[in-house]
Amino acid sequence: MQPFTIFIVEDDPFYGEMLKYHVSLNPDYVVEKFETGKEFLNNLYKNPSVVSLDYSLPDMSGLEVLKKVLEYKSDLPVIIVSGQEDVSTAVNLLKHGAYDYFVKDDDTKDRIWNALKNIREKFELEKQIDVLQTEIGKKYKFGNSIKGNSQAIKKVFALIDKAIQTNITVSVSGETGTGKELVAKAIHYNSPRNKYPFIAINVSAIPKELIESELFGYEKGAFTGADTRKIGKFEEAGKGTIFLDEIGEMDINMQSKLLRVLQEKELTRIGGHNLIKTEARLIVATNRNLEEEVELGNFRQDLYYRLLGLPIILPPLRNRNNDILVLAKFFADEFCKENNLPFKHLSENAQEKLLSYSFPGNVRELKAIIELAVVMSNNTSIDDEDISFTTRNNQSQFLLDEENTLQGYTRKIIRAYLEKYDNNIIKVSKKLDIGKSTIYRMLKNKEL
Amino acid sequence: MPNTKNFNLVHLIEAVGDGEDLIRMLEIFVDSTPKILNELNNSHTDGNFEGIAASAHKLKATIDILRIEELQGVVREMDRLSSVQENQDKLPQFISKINDVMTQVLAEIKDTYLSDNKV
């Protein structure tokens, strides 16, 4: 455990010793005393938890030392202890980032005692937050949260890695259940923004009349019922990440307001006049084809280009080959562990059954199927009869999920085959019994 | 513990108790104070007001802890005057007073508390 170290900087040996004695009464504190600014600064590398600093030192002023300390570590609490009873000096030091300012009098030692207690409590809470953030970070590390070895998912890993290294806006697309939010979380918790909040909003779940107040907040009295000021999600995210799921469902009027916020990097609460800077990173997701939505006039083209950033397209599970088995094993093990059940393996028949299914609900559906299979299984093996699918097992149902034109269906079928066969045009043309040139032409015309 | 007319250890005893730590604190006082008085006198001789203010500042906390009431007002006034460099004619009087009283306090503390402990 990291010790709670207090540095006392005091040139009066008598007063310094008295402070040291008093603070050392807490056996959990490690206390070191210095009589000059220079001696103290030379020991700053030891990373004290708190500094008690005398304002008047023989070689440097308290302000000079304070500035150097905060240059070294901006969040290091520095308590100024001074014989100086001048209010303007105190105000100036507090403005420059001192944690507190105490005049040397009979109560100083008690004030320091209380300040140290408060700082230590905060210190412990911050450590707990660090531990929790590390845990969350581990949970959302690629290998821990997104499982798979297929080429398709490896491409996704490579893009996530690129997204982590920059602040680029990321647009995640993929069918329902492919893990769009998981990707957003993996980017956030593995990026330098992981100390700040991850705020997820499902745009389709919020009535269009409320989305603006939800995202940007409102001032007191902005409308009937606005009894207090409310901070919006962008402000709440701070320097963190804001994840807008189902962005394709956003009302066209709201789209223009969002575009302005993204361009200006500032927003105004409803009913407010002040411009508020926003530093949050944006990740959006959709299961719609936004390009098509732009063509249909449902989505603003300028916003589409603004949001496109780094596009990450999640492959449907049916195109991830053996990932189905990797994920099935992971979900089975996880479920057994959570429910204190003995670990169960998938029989060969069960594996074949899983591999032959199209998983229209993707990973989410696989998880539900496996959890049920674990419950239904009577021994240490999950057999094919333990596995039951919720939908009919054919591609046509998946294709007919949405109404489309014949041309639209054709494009969708060819796209699905290209994904399935890793863009191997010769193979796809053979499978669908169409000419290679047809596919090339459609690609050239951007029909696919 | 007996008190004298020049100081009162109530506050110090409240902070560190009346055992070994009190003796250790008084030893530190006896060791460090002459040096501060010396710095004060040298600054005065050199007309170094910043130095006078620094010494006064340093003595202020010690004088308060030891409840040397006769000097509490003097040291504050000296700190103020030397900082703003006003009424310099009063400084010799203040410095002399501080030297006198502190010398008495040092002697009294040595006699009363440290005679058996000092070699």
Side-chain angles (χ1 to χ4, degrees):
Chain A
M1 192 177 147
Q2 197 186 340
F4 192 74
T5 312
I6 299 148
F7 277 12
I8 293 174
V9 192
E10 172 62 63
D11 66 330
D12 176 359
F14 180 68
Y15 194 81
E17 196 56 34
M18 201 189 79
L19 272 188
K20 185 179 175 186
Y21 174 88
H22 188 68
V23 171
S24 302
L25 289 175
N26 187 327
D28 295 338
Y29 296 166
V30 177
V31 189
E32 280 195 54
K33 189 162 70 76
F34 307 95
E35 289 191 7
T36 64
K38 200 177 166 196
E39 188 196 353
F40 157 65
L41 291 172
N42 286 341
N43 282 276
L44 201 51
Y45 72 91
K46 292 180 184 170
N47 285 324
S49 313
V50 189
V51 177
S52 163
L53 175 65
D54 182 20
Y55 178 71
S56 304
L57 293 170
D59 55 344
M60 297 167 99
S61 79
L63 183 59
E64 227 176 315
V65 179
L66 175 69
K67 281 181 182 172
K68 285 189 188 297
V69 171
L70 298 181
E71 264 170 36
Y72 176 77
K73 192 167 184 266
S74 61
D75 60 349
L76 179 57
V78 180
I79 302 168
I80 308 284
V81 181
S82 171
Q84 200 89 9
E85 289 157 21
D86 177 14
V87 177
S88 61
T89 308
V91 171
N92 189 35
L93 287 158
L94 291 171
K95 269 187 187 168
H96 277 88
Y99 177 85
D100 215 332
Y101 182 98
F102 300 142
V103 173
K104 287 176 183 170
D105 61 19
D106 292 355
D107 299 328
T108 310
K109 58 181 178 28
D110 296 327
R111 288 205 192 106
I112 289 187
W113 186 266
N114 289 332
L116 291 175
K117 185 172 162 274
N118 293 337
I119 292 168
R120 192 172 185 219
E121 279 172 6
K122 191 169 163 257
F123 179 78
E124 293 299 330
L125 282 173
E126 280 170 355
K127 271 204 300 188
Q128 283 178 23
I129 291 170
D130 275 350
V131 169
L132 290 172
Q133 276 173 338
T134 310
E135 287 299 312
I136 293 171
K138 272 187 206 162
K139 190 178 168 192
Y140 290 106
K141 273 235 172 313
F142 310 154
N144 294 341
S145 62
I146 308 169
K147 301 275 175 191
N149 304 315
S150 64
Q151 282 306 312
I153 206 69
K154 279 181 183 168
K155 280 181 191 167
V156 171
F157 287 158
L159 290 172
I160 292 176
D161 201 35
K162 289 197 183 301
I164 286 165
Q165 291 165 31
T166 62
N167 284 324
I168 190 168
T169 299
V170 177
S171 56
V172 190
S173 57
E175 289 174 15
T176 181
T178 44
K180 294 183 283 291
E181 184 162 341
L182 217 51
V183 168
K185 282 182 177 168
I187 294 169
H188 173 79
Y189 287 111
N190 289 283
S191 78
R193 291 177 183 263
N194 63 9
K195 287 187 166 43
Y196 302 100
F198 174 85
I199 307 281
I201 297 157
N202 189 323
V203 174
S204 67
I206 301 169
K208 68 176 182 183
E209 301 79 20
L210 298 180
I211 190 84
E212 186 179 357
S213 63
E214 195 66 19
L215 292 181
F216 307 144
Y218 54 78
E219 294 291 347
K220 183 181 176 181
F223 46 81
T224 312
D227 299 331
T228 52
R229 168 191 284 176
K230 185 179 179 258
I231 301 296
K233 297 294 183 190
F234 269 90
E235 274 186 84
E236 199 182 321
K239 292 179 183 173
T241 303
I242 188 153
F243 173 58
L244 297 181
D245 198 3
E246 308 285 5
I247 187 79
E249 309 298 321
M250 186 175 273
D251 173 66
I252 197 97
N253 293 324
M254 188 58 211
Q255 288 176 26
S256 57
K257 290 176 182 169
L258 177 63
L259 177 67
R260 205 193 70 82
V261 170
L262 298 180
Q263 279 172 340
E264 307 300 327
K265 293 194 182 302
E266 54 191 21
L267 57 90
T268 312
R269 296 188 200 115
I270 300 175
H273 302 289
N274 295 337
L275 290 171
I276 298 155
K277 290 270 174 212
T278 170
E279 294 180 67
R281 180 203 200 142
L282 185 65
I283 300 180
V284 297
T286 181
N287 57 9
R288 287 195 185 191
N289 183 333
L290 282 188
E291 207 174 352
E292 278 176 14
E293 295 299 318
V294 169
E295 279 173 27
L296 292 168
N298 296 331
F299 205 83
R300 288 181 65 116
Q301 192 175 37
D302 41 12
L303 181 62
Y304 169 71
Y305 287 122
R306 191 88 206 175
L307 293 178
L308 197 58
L310 176 68
I312 298 179
I313 301 162
L314 293 180
L317 188 56
R318 62 186 168 279
N319 290 349
R320 289 174 58 184
N321 310 321
N322 274 345
D323 283 355
I324 293 171
L325 299 181
V326 174
L327 285 161
K329 184 181 181 314
F330 171 71
F331 291 139
D333 289 351
E334 204 180 42
F335 188 79
C336 290
K337 199 174 156 189
E338 279 170 12
N339 292 280
N340 294 319
L341 295 169
F343 284 98
K344 300 182 184 224
H345 72 274
L346 287 159
S347 71
E348 273 189 30
N349 287 344
Q351 291 185 22
E352 274 173 33
K353 190 169 180 179
L354 286 173
L355 287 171
S356 65
Y357 184 59
S358 63
F359 291 101
N362 290 295
V363 184
R364 193 184 290 130
E365 185 185 10
L366 172 65
K367 187 171 189 264
I369 287 167
I370 294 299
E371 287 177 357
L372 179 62
V374 171
V375 173
M376 298 308 289
S377 144
N378 292 321
N379 48 48
T380 55
S381 163
I382 297 169
D383 294 318
D384 55 341
E385 63 263 29
D386 299 323
I387 295 171
S388 48
F389 299 127
T390 47
T391 52
R392 279 188 299 134
N393 188 22
N394 59 42
Q395 293 276 348
S396 60
Q397 196 213 346
F398 148 70
L399 283 168
L400 294 171
D401 272 350
E402 289 170 24
E403 276 192 19
N404 215 331
T405 59
L406 186 59
Q407 207 176 18
Y409 283 127
T410 307
R411 284 203 297 256
K412 205 166 179 178
I413 290 166
I414 297 173
R415 264 203 306 263
Y417 271 73
L418 282 170
E419 272 183 41
K420 188 171 182 177
Y421 294 106
D422 223 7
N423 293 318
N424 187 330
I425 293 171
I426 298 170
K427 208 169 192 174
V428 172
S429 70
K430 276 185 190 162
K431 289 276 176 190
L432 292 175
D433 195 21
I434 55 171
K436 283 178 290 182
S437 54
T438 308
I439 300 175
Y440 281 122
R441 180 179 44 76
M442 289 175 86
L443 283 169
K444 195 180 169 191
N445 295 339
K446 294 186 178 169
E447 289 172 51
L448 293 176
Chain B
M1 292 280 181
N3 285 329
T4 75
K5 59 175 181 168
N6 284 309
F7 66 92
N8 184 333
L9 296 185
V10 171
H11 184 58
L12 185 61
I13 290 170
E14 190 191 303
V16 302
D18 58 3
E20 281 176 13
D21 290 313
L22 176 68
I23 301 301
R24 190 170 58 81
M25 290 300 298
L26 292 175
E27 280 172 353
I28 293 170
F29 169 72
V30 166
D31 286 343
S32 59
T33 305
K35 193 182 157 212
I36 303 171
L37 291 175
N38 207 26
E39 282 167 3
L40 172 68
N41 295 331
N42 287 341
S43 298
H44 181 225
T45 309
D46 298 343
N48 173 5
F49 292 102
E50 258 182 43
I52 296 172
S55 299
H57 195 77
K58 212 185 274 189
L59 284 169
K60 210 159 54 175
T62 306
I63 286 168
D64 283 345
I65 293 167
L66 296 181
R67 294 286 193 272
I68 308 173
E69 288 174 0
E70 214 179 335
L71 295 183
Q72 283 181 314
V74 173
V75 77
R76 278 176 170 73
E77 190 60 4
M78 190 173 79
D79 185 14
R80 193 184 68 78
L81 292 182
S82 52
S83 300
V84 295
Q85 300 188 15
E86 279 177 5
N87 289 330
Q88 294 164 20
D89 51 322
K90 284 190 177 174
L91 283 176
Q93 191 190 326
F94 289 155
I95 290 168
S96 165
K97 177 89 178 169
I98 283 174
N99 273 295
D100 290 348
V101 176
M102 289 305 265
T103 308
Q104 283 175 47
V105 170
L106 284 165
E108 285 165 2
I109 284 179
K110 278 183 199 170
D111 286 349
T112 317
Y113 298 98
L114 308 178
S115 51
D116 296 336
N117 299 289
K118 283 275 183 191
V119 180

